[in-house]
Every structure is written in structure tokens, then in C-alpha cells.
Amino acid sequence: MKSHKQPIKAVLIGAGQRGTEVYGAYAIKYPDQLKFVAVAEPNSQRRSKFAAIHHIPFKDQFESWEPLLTKSPLGQAALICTQDQQHTAPTIAALESGYDVLLEKPMATTPADCHLLVQTAEETGHQLHVCHVLRYTKHFQTMRDIVQSGKLGEVINISHRENVSWWHMAHSYVRGNWRKREETSPMILAKCCHDFDLFVWILGRQCKYLSSVGSLRHFRPENAPPGAPLRCLDGCPVSDTCQYYAPFIYIDLVPLWRNFAEGASGFQKHAVRSQLKAPKVIKSLNTILPILKEISDYKGWPRSVVTSDPTPERVRQALIDGPYGRCVYHCDNDVVDHQVVSMWFEGDISVTLTMHGHAHSETRTTRIEGTQATLISYFGLGGSWIETYEHRSGRKNHYNTSATNGTGHGGGDEQLMAAFIESIKQGNQTTARTTAKQALESHLMAFAADQARLETKIIFMENYRNESKFS
Ligand SMILES: NC(=O)c1ccc[n+]([C@@H]2O[C@H](COP(=O)([O-])OP(=O)(O)OC[C@H]3O[C@@H](n4cnc5c(N)ncnc54)[C@H](O)[C@@H]3O)[C@@H](O)[C@H]2O)c1
């Protein structure tokens, strides 16, 4: 067994939102666990900012992953945080160079590449972890424990919803990085590879066949309000009433503060609510209380995606000339805004997944019908809970599954990192909750769901697992 008293040394490929704000932040918070020693990032501003924060010498800063991953390893771990279509090549290079790898989901954007990644990990003998963060949440771990304990009896049906908030949909899937299927991923892969993974993990069974329906229903030119220009700041006649008006989302940040208010507690909740009612008052008091400054000068997601170092002037300019200031009805998006997948699992279990981008707030809600009890659950920014209702006794059990560690993905981001680091220290992946091979199944289900929707057909997974090696 390998033992490391020092922090694990890691290289970062892609110092974007996830690389910097999640994994970079983890290394700052837990310096005894993780230390970044090199970075590859073509955007010079992001690269130098990350290098400065993590004290990375100039010689270990790279404009792209190739020169970094083709030399002898500079550490034990490589974190691949590039965009969806740029996962396969750096992951293979990192595994072949001798790194254990943490790879963002989706593993890759074709079934064949996902198979190839699993095969490369097996051939090189290095660890490949896929960021299925929800497996690491208290919420879904509790749900799995309940199902596996048999407290519900035999599971008959699961009805699960991924309710993407209307403004997150507009940000990521209409104006932003995941709007075009061919350039990134189908939305059912980008958003729901997590959910497919949960079904397989919670039930401990595989899907036999599935079908799917869905479309891009709303964010289309014919739904634009009369007279709406191509950009919000070009004199839009409905700027006072349109929920998608870009300054409402990115300058006033109203939807973000509403979601935060739902999740915050104590003084923080009070401060966020005050920001919604009287932002000028919060601004005028922000020199007295640092927490107020964090709110009035907020620079995190989604602002950090709109422009780096998001001062009010820079955000406004980015809305004038960048992609996030476009009218949501006049973008070049083509991914769906609603999709339903019907699945038939081993053991005659029916499962449905509803994904849509029109929810008032960001949640995942689940209902599991067992022969002896029903489980309902809510996983959201405002906290999470599970309730079970026993059929014979009528007893109700309540489980508070809100995150107690970190906030990202219900605490899953931090737990995933902790497990990754522990696996490297142990020298094997068995302490982690998922392997690349397990992650493969969820990705294949997502690709199959996309194909089933496009071709209006049922996909049999046993055939698909083999045939998809070449697609
Ligand atoms: N686990 C999750 O739940 C979760 C959540 C959100 C996003 N993601 C995934 O994480 C990944 C990154 O997302 P993001 O929002 O951070 O994207 P991002 O666009 O903010 O960051 C990607 C970075 O990669 C950089 N890059 C491009 N080419 C490169 C190269 N040749 N070498 C090195 N770096 C290069 C880009 O300049 C960019 O800074 C995506 O695949 C996304 O789908 C996962």
C-alpha cells in the first residue's frame, strides 16, 4: 500500500469554471490533501490567475495539455476539466503518462470514445474516476441505503425528475456552452448521465430497454416577443417583463439571489433577502461587513462564465457583445428543453426520467414505489430530504439529507474529491464509489436515450452495449 503524508500533487487540464472554482478551491481549502503543481490552459488570463493562486512556477504553466501530458508525470493525479468534446485525448495521454485521472463528466461525447477510455484505464492500470458527484451526496447515498435495505419491499416503479431552473437552462443550454448538440453533447447526456448512473447504482440492476420523447419546444425564434431584437441591450421592448432579460439574470442577479435565499440560513438568508429588496443599501454597508461585500460584489457562477473578473462594467460589456446578452429566442441553440425517458429494468422495474428546463428552481425530485412502502424525495438548493411511508403501519420516516460538507452538488463535489485523493493514497480505486466501467453504463443509456428520441424507437441495451463500441 502506498502512503502519502504530503498532499497529492496534481496537474490541472482546463482552468475553467470546474477546474478553478471547484477543484482549485478544494486545494485551497484542504492544502494538506491536494496541491496543484502544473496547469494547462489556453486562456492566458485564466492560466495566470490559477498559477498565481496555486504558486505554480512559469515553467509548469502550459498553453495546452499536449506538452504537459507527454513529459514525465509532475504529480500523481491529472484532473481533466476541459469541455465535453475535449475529454478523450488528454485523458488517454494522462493515463499513458502514468497519472491517475479525475475526468469530468460526460466521459466523452461518443459511445466509442467512452469504451476506449475504460479500455485505456484497464490497459495502463491507472485509476480513472468520472465525476459522478451525486453518488457522493448524503441524499442519494441515503436513498440507496433505504432501497438496498429492503425497507420499501420490492421496488416496482421509480419516477424521477430533473427540474432544471428556467434561468440555468437559458444560461447553459440556450445561450451558453451546452446549447449545440454537435459542438458539445446532447442535453440528456450532459445533464442526466448522473441520473442514469443513480438508477443503476440505487437499484443494483441494469436497464434492459428504453424509449424516449422530447424536443426543443420553447427557445425558438417563433416564440420571440414581437419586436424583440437579437440582443437584450439593443432596446428590447419587453425588458421590464421578460424573465430572460440578460441584465435581470446577470447584473441584478435576481434569480440567483432567490435560489440562494432558499438555501441560506441565519444572517446569510437575511442578507440575501435584503439584497433582493434593497441592493443599494447592501452596497452602502458592504465595507462594514465582509459577507455583504461578497453579495454586492459577487463574482462567482454564472457571472464568472460571462466574463473573467466580472466587475459590473465588464458584465455589462459582455452582455453587449458576448453570447450571454443574446435574446433567448434568437440564439443558435438546438438541444432539447424537455425530454422523457422510459426504462425497463431487470426485475420488471419501470423507471421514468423527466428532464426539462422550465422549473422555478433547481431540483431533482424522486418517487419510488415499493411493495411495502413509498419513498418521496426532494434534492434542491434549499436543502434536501427523503420521506418514506410504510403501507401496513402507516408510519412516516423523515430523513434530513441536506449537505453538511461543502455546497457544490449537495456536498458531492467535496466528497468526490476526498474519495479520489483517498484512492490515490491507497493505490486502488476500491474506496471510491464508482469506476470508469460503471460510469460507462450511464453514458451508454444517455446515448441510447438520445438515439431512441431521434429515431422514435426502443433501444435494447444488451445489443447496444456491444454495438456502441464502434459508434
Ligand atoms: N460533475 C459535474 O456535475 C459537472 C458540472 C458542470 C460541468 N461539468 C463538466 O466539466 C467540464 C468543464 O466545464 P466548465 O464549465 O469548467 O467549462 P469551461 O469552459 O469553463 O472550462 C474548460 C476550460 O478548458 C480550457 N481548454 C480548452 N482547450 C484546452 C486545451 N487544449 N488544454 C487545456 N485546457 C483547455 C478552456 O480554455 C476552458 O478554460 C465540462 O465537460 C462540463 O460538462 C461537470
Side-chain angles (χ1 to χ4, degrees):
M1 186 188 293
K2 292 178 202 165
S3 114
H4 296 282
K5 292 209 169 74
Q6 296 296 317
I8 295 296
K9 287 186 186 165
V11 303
L12 178 69
I13 310 301
Q17 199 270 324
R18 294 290 293 173
T20 303
E21 294 176 29
V22 179
Y23 308 114
Y26 186 92
I28 301 296
K29 188 169 174 188
Y30 302 105
D32 55 328
Q33 290 188 32
L34 182 67
K35 162 90 184 117
F36 282 103
V37 294
V39 59
E41 167 59 59
N43 179 314
S44 58
Q45 227 180 344
R46 291 181 183 177
R47 184 172 67 247
S48 6
K49 189 172 166 191
F50 190 86
I53 293 171
H54 296 275
H55 309 291
I56 297 171
F58 186 70
K59 70 176 178 49
D60 296 327
Q61 301 171 25
F62 301 85
E63 285 180 25
S64 186
W65 57 268
E66 294 89 342
L68 167 50
L69 294 179
T70 43
K71 62 196 278 184
S72 314
L74 298 175
Q76 300 104 304
L79 279 71
I80 312 291
C81 301
T82 39
Q83 272 295 344
D84 299 3
Q85 300 229 344
Q86 299 169 302
H87 285 180
T88 309
T91 302
I92 289 175
L95 289 166
E96 287 180 344
S97 291
Y99 290 99
D100 289 325
V101 172
L102 183 79
L103 168 62
E104 263 304 353
K105 68 86 216 162
M107 304 167 71
T109 53
T110 65
D113 276 4
C114 293
H115 283 286
L116 180 63
L117 289 174
V118 174
Q119 188 189 332
T120 310
E122 285 173 355
E123 282 169 4
T124 58
H126 291 294
Q127 298 181 27
L128 175 57
H129 297 240
V130 177
C131 294
H132 272 151
V133 289
L134 298 185
R135 280 200 187 201
Y136 293 87
T137 58
K138 183 177 169 191
H139 182 79
F140 289 107
Q141 177 66 59
T142 306
M143 189 184 291
R144 180 175 188 258
D145 290 347
I146 293 169
V147 169
Q148 296 280 326
S149 73
K151 283 180 191 157
L152 303 182
E154 294 289 323
V155 173
I156 303 293
N157 169 268
I158 297 182
S159 171
H160 178 81
R161 299 177 65 89
E162 161 128 42
N163 309 299
V164 180
S165 67
W166 58 270
W167 61 279
H168 183 187
M169 177 78 204
H171 173 71
S172 291
Y173 300 98
V174 180
R175 291 172 165 138
N177 289 331
W178 293 273
R179 69 190 184 280
K180 291 192 84 162
R181 199 174 165 280
E182 289 306 319
E183 285 177 14
T184 58
S185 316
M187 187 171 169
I188 198 73
L189 174 69
K191 205 77 195 82
C192 294
C193 63
H194 288 304
D195 305 271
F196 292 115
D197 181 59
L198 290 173
F199 302 144
V200 175
W201 183 59
I202 287 169
L203 290 172
R205 295 170 190 261
Q206 290 200 312
C207 175
K208 291 172 82 173
Y209 50 90
L210 58 76
S211 63
S212 182
V213 291
S215 75
L216 172 59
R217 161 73 178 72
H218 184 65
F219 301 99
R220 307 159 68 106
E222 59 269 34
N223 292 324
L230 298 183
R231 310 189 70 87
C232 295
L233 285 167
D234 283 351
C236 181
V238 294
S239 59
D240 286 343
T241 51
C242 177
Q243 69 204 41
Y244 298 107
Y245 182 58
F248 178 70
I249 296 177
Y250 297 109
I251 294 179
D252 303 339
L253 283 177
V254 171
L256 180 85
W257 297 129
R258 282 184 189 152
N259 271 232
F260 269 23
E262 202 189 320
S265 56
F267 180 73
Q268 206 177 24
K269 192 177 192 93
H270 183 67
V272 172
R273 282 185 174 166
S274 306
Q275 169 71 17
L276 278 166
K277 283 189 206 136
K280 285 189 182 147
V281 176
I282 296 293
K283 181 97 186 151
S284 67
L285 294 174
N286 80 10
T287 46
I288 307 167
L289 284 171
I291 185 183
L292 299 186
K293 190 164 174 59
E294 274 174 35
I295 292 172
S296 58
D297 294 357
Y298 179 79
K299 291 190 172 175
W301 184 91
R303 267 188 183 162
S304 57
V305 180
V306 172
T307 177
S308 43
D309 191 17
T311 58
E313 301 71 35
R314 287 210 176 113
V315 175
R316 178 161 285 276
Q317 190 56 46
L319 298 187
I320 289 170
D321 53 28
Y324 295 93
R326 291 182 293 177
C327 170
V328 291
Y329 303 101
H330 292 304
C331 289
D332 54 348
N333 57 308
D334 61 14
V335 298
V336 299
D337 61 356
H338 66 140
Q339 185 167 353
V340 178
V341 185
S342 297
M343 289 153 274
W344 193 252
F345 269 71
E346 291 168 339
D348 285 5
I349 300 170
S350 51
V351 178
T352 54
L353 164 66
T354 297
M355 171 196 77
H356 70 101
H358 297 278
H360 76 288
S361 85
E362 196 82 5
T363 60
R364 280 179 165 91
T365 49
T366 315
R367 186 172 171 115
I368 305 181
E369 309 294 350
T371 50
Q372 293 167 17
T374 292
L375 177 152
I376 59 173
S377 97
Y378 177 96
F379 180 75
L381 292 174
S384 306
W385 51 262
I386 294 174
E387 283 176 353
T388 57
Y389 296 83
E390 296 172 11
H391 297 171
R392 171 72 200 222
S393 66
R395 191 179 303 129
K396 169 181 154 184
N397 301 299
H398 182 88
Y399 304 79
N400 180 354
T401 55
S402 300
T404 45
N405 61 298
T407 50
H409 287 107
D413 285 350
E414 282 205 0
Q415 289 298 97
L416 167 100
M417 274 309 287
F420 176 58
I421 288 163
E422 189 55 30
S423 297
I424 295 179
K425 286 184 181 165
Q426 297 294 331
N428 70 58
Q429 207 168 336
T430 50
T431 48
R433 287 197 191 152
T434 181
T435 62
K437 197 166 186 169
Q438 288 164 337
L440 174 66
E441 180 66 14
S442 60
H443 286 64
L444 295 184
M445 288 172 74
F447 289 119
D450 185 51
Q451 189 181 334
R453 177 184 73 85
L454 290 170
E455 298 176 11
T456 324
K457 68 187 216 187
I458 294 176
I459 306 264
F460 289 84
M461 289 306 297
E462 194 173 335
N463 300 342
Y464 191 80
R465 281 179 202 112
N466 293 321
E467 288 161 8
S468 62
K469 284 183 184 148
F470 312 103
S471 58

